[in-house]
Amino acid sequence: MAGNTRGTSPAPPKASDDPLATLASLPGVADSVASVRKGVDRVYGHRIMRRRSNEVTSEAALRGARGSAALSGADWALEEVRRRTDFGVEGEPRTVGAALRLTAEAGQLLSVWRQSPLRVLARLHLVAASGGGQGSAEAGGRHGPGGAADDTVGRPRLAAEPVDEPLIELPLPDADEVAGRLDGLSRLLLTGTEAPALVTAAVVHGELLALRPFATCNGLVARAAERIVLIGSGLDPKSICPAEVGHAELGRAAYVAALEGYVSGTPEGVAAWIAHCGRAVELGVRESTAVCEALQRGAA
């Protein structure tokens, strides 16, 4: 998908045929990319990463899930997320449980993402909306809130089907537009791009929030997809830079305002959204750097 991907992906197209690479030339984007790269390299070079990287990855996953849930309306303290084992099928516990499941799932889907991004998005929605109960995503079942069978789970919405995504109040594209733009995004990713990982991740995240292709859990899925791109691109292969932490720290109002810029389609708006995503990654880097420092002191 991104230019750093190894394996059997097609050779990247020329920049003139590469819309994502074109976005990398927008004003300010190169600076955001360079700043993110510098921060990520710094935390990967921390001495604690040489022997305790698995602990940092686990803590980043927990904190990332907490941040993603907060943006979807379940703003729990980190220690509450850490200690709880009872994540119900309704309300805030359901949202937190969904975020935790998605964070755990994201790293397992890299090979599938490179072959079929749409299949991964369907899987992510299935995992998020399953409720985590018996017969849920782990067993291949399709259940919505409360455990009831729900044929909207794991597929893009059809015409006239409602969307429950209270944070995002932008106009909702119709089902035909959703299908067309999802297909276009998938083709872009499969063709390959020379765009930096930050740009690709921001576009995937922004498109999914703009389209809200599923009946529920679109924000959670969009942020999980951003995580997959950052891991799979090679920018953050150990998943220790949780952008979700940064998005939550920057706040819901800033998140929505930046998304509005992306949806506007103006160069300034799209560049501002990419910069916002870059800042979120940098704050995730700061979070994991603090975890490294705590581990080094023996305080975590």
Side-chain angles (χ1 to χ4, degrees), residues 3-298:
N4 292 330
T5 300
R6 299 178 178 87
T8 58
S9 298
K14 295 180 179 179
S16 59
D17 300 321
D18 188 348
L20 294 178
T22 300
L23 297 180
S25 67
L26 292 174
V29 170
D31 291 340
S32 294
V33 169
S35 183
V36 166
R37 179 79 264 178
K38 182 178 179 181
V40 171
D41 287 348
R42 186 182 303 117
V43 71
Y44 269 85
H46 196 287
R47 61 187 301 177
I48 209 74
M49 288 294 295
R50 291 197 293 271
R51 49 194 174 85
R52 302 181 71 178
S53 63
N54 288 342
E55 293 172 70
V56 181
T57 295
S58 295
E59 189 64 19
L62 182 72
R63 295 179 185 218
R66 192 218 73 84
S68 190
L71 284 171
S72 287
D75 192 0
W76 290 12
L78 179 63
E79 291 310 312
E80 178 72 3
V81 178
R82 194 189 303 281
R83 74 171 187 84
R84 286 281 287 267
T85 58
D86 55 325
F87 298 104
V89 295
E90 294 182 351
E92 291 188 5
R94 172 177 174 259
T95 298
V96 176
L100 288 166
R101 291 193 302 276
L102 282 173
T103 302
E105 188 81 3
Q108 310 302 313
L109 296 172
L110 297 177
S111 62
V112 183
W113 178 267
R114 291 167 183 148
Q115 298 171 14
S116 178
L118 297 184
R119 181 180 167 194
V120 169
L121 294 176
R123 171 66 183 174
L124 291 174
H125 187 249
L126 179 60
V127 168
S130 68
Q134 194 168 19
S136 66
E138 290 81 357
R142 293 172 178 263
H143 292 73
D150 185 350
D151 67 1
T152 70
V153 173
R155 65 156 174 80
R157 56 187 167 84
L158 304 177
E161 288 182 339
V163 172
D164 180 15
E165 196 69 43
L167 172 63
I168 309 300
E169 298 179 352
L170 296 168
L172 191 67
D174 64 31
D176 287 341
E177 181 178 352
V178 168
R181 286 174 62 176
L182 282 178
D183 181 67
L185 179 63
S186 177
R187 284 188 282 105
L188 277 177
L189 295 171
L190 292 172
T191 298
T193 178
E194 295 179 338
L198 173 63
V199 173
T200 304
V203 169
V204 168
H205 187 169
E207 276 294 289
L208 293 175
L209 281 179
L211 295 176
R212 283 146 289 163
F214 302 107
T216 58
C217 302
N218 290 286
L220 294 172
V221 169
R223 292 184 288 275
E226 179 184 51
R227 174 182 284 265
I228 287 172
V229 174
L230 294 173
I231 298 170
S233 67
L235 177 65
D236 182 22
K238 294 183 182 293
S239 192
I240 62 167
C241 306
E244 305 96 325
V245 168
H247 287 302
E249 184 173 338
L250 291 167
R252 293 173 68 172
Y255 187 65
V256 172
L259 176 63
E260 289 174 349
Y262 176 82
V263 172
S264 75
T266 65
E268 297 80 8
V270 174
W273 169 251
I274 295 170
H276 184 89
C277 291
R279 181 59 180 151
V281 175
E282 291 184 82
L283 290 171
V285 166
R286 187 180 72 180
E287 189 85 355
S288 286
T289 300
V291 169
C292 288
E293 294 293 331
L295 288 170
Q296 187 166 280
R297 295 192 307 270

